[in-house]
Amino acid sequence: MSTFPVQVPPLKIQGIKTKAVPFIRDSVKWNGSGCWIEPFVGSAVVPLNLKPERALLSDANPHFIRFYQAIQKRTLTGSTVRAFLEREGTQLLHNGQEHYYRIRERFNETHDSHDFLFLNRSCFNGLVSFNKKGRFNTPFCRKQELFRQAYITKICNQVERAFDCMMGKSWDFVCVDWTDVISKAQAGDFVYCDPPYAGRYTDYFNSWDEEDAKQLEDRLKNLPCQFLYSMWSENKYRKNERLHEAFSNYEVRTFSHFYHLGSTEKLRNSMTEALVLG
């Protein structure tokens, strides 16, 4: 596996592929002439590292999309983030969870991307969780001194590097159904799919079950272009037999790493990831 500096995105979410980026990059055999298409862009860690010239990036969670659109438009910058986190971090230091829940309530009313970043970095274990009404519901991490200057600087740098990755490129961030995004693929494009794992993140923003996974598998097999499909292969409890059966005629590469984000200890353990090359 090749080594290169990995661009860490400003947002942290469960299932993030930061450690797998070199593995993913080595698995992409594409000349870059078409459009990079991601129906489940999440933290955007993959496009921020592969840096395609053209990209169609979507997610069911509108807050991820709104966040990166704000970076593109420069309504959210390293400077605005620094001022915001210094101000709200001071309030958090003095008022603790009371201030966290005040910000959470405000975000659920206004959907401001600065509030979202604050919550993402101060919620319990970095867990991005929403209830059935679409309201952010992750509790406070109980670390009142979280936003020290060094930590704020780190986040600001990540925001600016994300903008640098997008600058001068044609990247469209959209919030539409994954089926609409994948249907736009043409010859010469490349589709990378990293969907929620069925039964693992039911509160990520909307549900994703075995039937959804089966539909996605079928659509991938009929694409007019190359694809990479990221899915779990096995953990200490069981193996994803259905995945290997569904793609028995495809090359499947695996990579093991440890998940540090999750609502319970059971979801924070070693996982062998699979990449299906199509």
Side-chain angles (χ1 to χ4, degrees):
M1 188 185 301
S2 65
T3 59
F4 66 99
V6 174
Q7 164 72 38
V8 179
L11 295 177
K12 290 185 175 183
I13 63 172
Q14 52 271 38
I16 192 171
K17 293 296 189 294
T18 305
K19 292 184 178 179
V21 163
F23 175 61
I24 294 168
R25 180 173 177 172
D26 286 349
S27 300
V28 174
K29 309 302 180 185
W30 178 54
N31 62 17
S33 62
C35 183
W36 178 271
I37 298 174
E38 271 195 60
F40 312 93
V41 71
S43 69
V45 66
V46 174
L48 287 176
N49 281 278
L50 272 64
K51 303 180 179 66
E53 286 300 315
R54 293 196 295 128
L56 177 60
L57 308 170
S58 181
D59 201 278
N61 189 319
H63 308 298
F64 295 152
I65 300 304
R66 189 179 296 110
F67 180 83
Y68 282 109
Q69 287 174 338
I71 291 179
Q72 275 187 319
K73 297 173 183 176
R74 300 300 279 168
T75 57
L76 188 148
T77 68
S79 296
T80 66
V81 166
R82 180 176 298 281
F84 182 87
L85 294 183
E86 286 179 350
R87 181 180 70 248
E88 302 300 342
T90 299
Q91 290 293 316
L92 185 70
L93 179 63
H94 292 132
N95 300 308
Q97 67 176 11
E98 178 184 345
H99 188 64
Y100 172 85
Y101 289 114
R102 185 182 301 122
I103 297 294
R104 194 178 76 172
E105 182 62 26
R106 185 172 72 189
F107 168 73
N108 282 325
E109 296 300 323
T110 67
H111 305 151
D112 182 83
S113 292
H114 289 84
D115 284 342
F116 186 50
L117 180 60
F118 174 91
L119 294 171
N120 179 251
R121 292 308 186 102
S122 57
C123 66
F124 173 72
N125 205 48
L127 180 68
V128 175
S129 176
F130 295 82
N131 63 23
K132 292 182 179 180
K133 294 182 179 180
R135 295 175 68 84
F136 190 90
N137 64 356
T138 312
F140 180 44
C141 70
R142 300 189 182 280
K143 296 180 181 178
Q144 294 183 208
E145 298 181 5
L146 184 66
F147 292 107
R148 299 176 183 272
Q149 279 299 319
Y151 189 55
I152 292 175
T153 296
K154 181 179 180 180
I155 297 170
C156 293
N157 289 341
Q158 290 168 349
V159 168
E160 286 302 307
R161 284 195 293 266
F163 175 74
D164 290 342
C165 291
M166 303 176 197
M167 187 170 58
K169 297 180 175 65
S170 178
W171 287 15
D172 290 327
F173 287 93
V174 297
C175 183
V176 297
D177 188 82
W178 70 267
T179 58
D180 293 335
V181 176
I182 208 169
S183 67
K184 297 184 183 300
Q186 301 178 8
D189 293 341
F190 195 98
V191 175
Y192 172 70
C193 281
D194 180 22
Y197 295 168
R200 183 174 170 91
Y201 300 129
T202 55
D203 53 1
Y204 163 75
F205 194 73
N206 56 6
S207 62
W208 182 264
D209 58 25
E210 295 291 342
E211 184 57 36
D212 293 313
K214 175 65 167 58
Q215 184 183 1
L216 176 58
E217 291 167 1
D218 292 341
R219 293 289 294 270
L220 289 173
K221 293 177 185 178
N222 290 288
L223 282 173
C225 62
Q226 295 175 277
F227 70 85
L228 274 186
Y229 178 44
S230 179
M231 181 51 58
W232 73 278
S233 177
E234 60 183 293
N235 56 28
K236 68 178 182 178
Y237 302 105
R238 60 194 178 103
K239 183 177 180 179
N240 191 347
E241 300 286 358
R242 208 204 66 193
L243 173 74
H244 294 277
E245 291 174 3
F247 292 99
S248 59
N249 295 325
Y250 291 77
E251 180 183 354
V252 179
R253 304 182 66 195
T254 58
F255 167 78
S256 296
H257 68 104
F258 190 90
Y259 274 116
H260 294 278
L261 300 182
S263 56
T264 66
E265 289 292 340
K266 185 178 180 180
L267 298 181
R268 301 195 291 268
N269 50 44
S270 180
M271 173 77 77
T272 298
E273 306 276 355
L275 271 184
V276 179
L277 285 66

